[in-house]
Amino acid sequence: MLITGASLSPGVRTAIRIDGGRIACISPGLRPLRGEDVFDAAGAAVLPGLHDHHLHLLAYAAALDSVPCGPPQVTDAAALAQALGTRAARAGGGWLRGVGYHESVAGEIDRWWLDRVAPERPLRIQHRSGQLWIFNSAGLRSLGVGDGAGDDPFERHGGTPSGRLYGADAWLRARLGTRMPALGEASLRLARLGITGVTDAGPDNGAGEFRHFARERAGGRLLQDVLVMGSAGLDPAWSRPGLAVGATKIHLRESALPDFGAMRERIVQSHAAGRAVAVHCVTQAELVFAVGALQAAGVRRGDRLEHASLASPEAVALVREAGLHVVTQPHFLFERGDAYLSAVPTQDIAHLYRARSFVIAGVPLGAGSDAPYGDIDPWRAMDAALRRTSRAGRVLGADEALDPAAVLRLYGSHPLHPGGPCRSLAAGAVADLCVLDRPWEGLFEDLAAVRVRLTVGCGRVLHAV
Ligand SMILES: [Zn+2]
């Protein structure tokens, strides 16, 4: 394949020949060979294929088939009741699944609230954090969860399950026996955005999920390369072309932090198994705990913090000294910024989803969508990293805005080195790139509007318009 009129830097046009999965040659003088496919980039910018450093592929695929239960689609109790009631009334008697719930919609709802709006079918809705499911009574019955004491992990009030289930996805999956979703539609959506690789951040990923990703890739449905983070259950899995075992993912919750020694031991064991560690930390206490445990265990290349949502200057310095990567979600400032401005103490707003402070300190800063809990679109995320404005147009931490070079590293860096240098487009490199719909000139004035015309992953066309 020959891509003509390709602009790898402002004002420069060249042609790129792709052959055998690699970039064979880059030169303005290249002419099409007989029978060669030609794509005219017409002077548009060409970037390395993007890598989403943190998402949840299975949950994202499932969410495409679920009822949205939170902002921006659903913002109040009446709208939620209507969305659930309408879908519940449709044909089909199986489970109804909702996603993206947030308290701003209807407060701390429970089974009785859901019973009032959709009593007939088993229903479960997921909190936007991914950490909480809320079931109606039909859902509880279908799981075999009865009133009175039980050995299930449901929250109980006076012995009666409230319908709320915290951090028990593995239990739930075992109980529901759900088949893992096909990934074709999710993968196509990623390809249309220029994404050629993803890091799956599911803490419970084990051998079964790894096999599922392998099957979906072998079947041609999963187009992206996947770095699979997850539990110790992945230790025995073998990496193969396009599918690799990533870091051990450890999820922290401030209200229930693990024993420090046990945490350190888990890190030591992960390193001994040849795997880095990725720690989910949202609060400052979680961050300090994570860095402390990593340093006690000895930091290994590739160890990383997911989110690092709140970081004081001292915390930034700690992360820097420890030599960790940070994988952030700048688009949360856009999607949730207005809620943050009313819920987060004023003195903490400047510490929220810091970006420039990390970069200046020398901390490699990558980004991931956290889909389905965040918007899948990397262009909107990069735009948010430049602007830091909320949906309502209010600015959060203007000093933390990134410059264009740092913005490109968010999704342009290597999967094992989030926030490191952008992968290069050079002769001999794997042909992994995307062609945008506009030139470099003016590109950063409205990154959110970028559309991708061509996505090539490992030399294969994944998307073209
Ligand atoms: Zn996540």
Side-chain angles (χ1 to χ4, degrees), residues 1 94 104 159 167 190-191 195 199 225 265 271 284 287 338 368 378 418 425-426 430:
M1 174 180 210
S104 61
L190 290 161
I195 295 172
T199 297
D225 287 352
E265 187 52 29
H271 290 171
Q284 173 119 324
L287 184 146
D338 298 304
L425 291 175
V430 172

Side-chain angles (χ1 to χ4, degrees), residues 19 51 83 116 124 152 244 258 328 428 432 439:
D19 192 22
H51 188 92
R116 282 198 293 277
R124 65 185 197 276
D152 57 75
T328 186
D432 212 62

Side-chain angles (χ1 to χ4, degrees), residues 54 56 201 249 307 370 373:
H54 180 130
H56 303 267
K249 174 83 184 291
H307 315 304
D370 205 17
Y373 315 113

Side-chain angles (χ1 to χ4, degrees), residues 92-327:
W95 277 98
L96 184 62
R97 190 178 185 281
V99 291
Y101 182 72
H102 185 258
E103 303 73 53
S104 61
V105 175
E108 307 271 331
I109 59 173
D110 52 22
R111 64 189 285 190
W112 296 284
W113 194 95
L114 293 176
D115 284 351
R116 282 198 293 277
V117 302
E120 301 89 359
R121 279 170 72 173
L123 164 66
R124 65 185 197 276
I125 73 175
Q126 189 184 38
H127 189 267
R128 160 178 104 173
S129 64
Q131 298 307 303
L132 163 68
W133 283 99
I134 310 157
F135 290 72
N136 69 355
S137 295
L140 292 174
R141 275 197 299 279
S142 147
L143 285 176
V145 172
D147 288 348
D151 57 359
D152 57 75
F154 270 92
E155 177 188 85
R156 278 178 159 71
H157 294 313
T160 307
S162 67
R164 294 167 71 89
L165 180 68
Y166 288 92
D169 271 6
W171 178 88
L172 185 59
R173 211 172 299 144
R175 189 57 71 101
L176 286 170
T178 38
R179 292 211 333 267
M180 288 183 225
L183 299 173
E185 174 61 24
S187 184
L188 278 176
R189 290 187 186 218
L190 290 161
R192 279 182 216 128
L193 294 163
I195 295 172
T196 56
V198 299
T199 297
D200 193 283
D204 297 325
N205 285 337
E209 285 77 8
F210 196 82
R211 273 196 304 275
H212 184 64
F213 291 136
R215 272 194 303 267
E216 292 293 295
R217 269 191 66 87
R221 290 175 294 277
L222 177 53
L223 306 170
Q224 285 73 24
D225 287 352
V226 185
L227 180 66
V228 188
M229 303 203 290
S231 68
L234 281 171
D235 288 355
W238 285 87
S239 296
R240 58 197 79 184
L243 188 64
V245 177
T248 300
K249 174 83 184 291
I250 300 178
H251 196 104
L252 293 181
R253 186 143 53 101
E254 183 168 340
S255 57
L257 288 177
D259 172 71
F260 185 83
M263 172 84 174
R264 188 192 58 211
E265 187 52 29
R266 247 184 113 180
I267 297 166
V268 167
Q269 284 182 3
S270 173
H271 290 171
R275 296 174 61 196
V277 170
V279 188
H280 164 110
C281 41
V282 176
T283 70
Q284 173 119 324
E286 290 164 2
L287 184 146
V288 171
F289 182 87
V291 175
L294 279 158
Q295 283 194 302
V299 170
R300 177 191 194 275
R301 190 178 151 82
D303 285 343
R304 46 194 271 179
L305 301 179
E306 309 301 306
H307 315 304
S309 316
L310 272 175
S312 65
E314 297 74 25
V316 172
L318 275 180
V319 175
R320 156 84 191 106
E321 278 158 35
L324 299 166
H325 297 257
V326 167
V327 174

Side-chain angles (χ1 to χ4, degrees), residues 22 32 50 115 168-169 196-197 235 255 260 340 355 358 387 445 465:
R22 296 200 170 259
L50 305 187
D115 284 351
D169 271 6
T196 56
D235 288 355
S255 57
F260 185 83
Y340 291 148
F358 280 123
R387 288 172 207 293
E445 275 151 38
V465 284

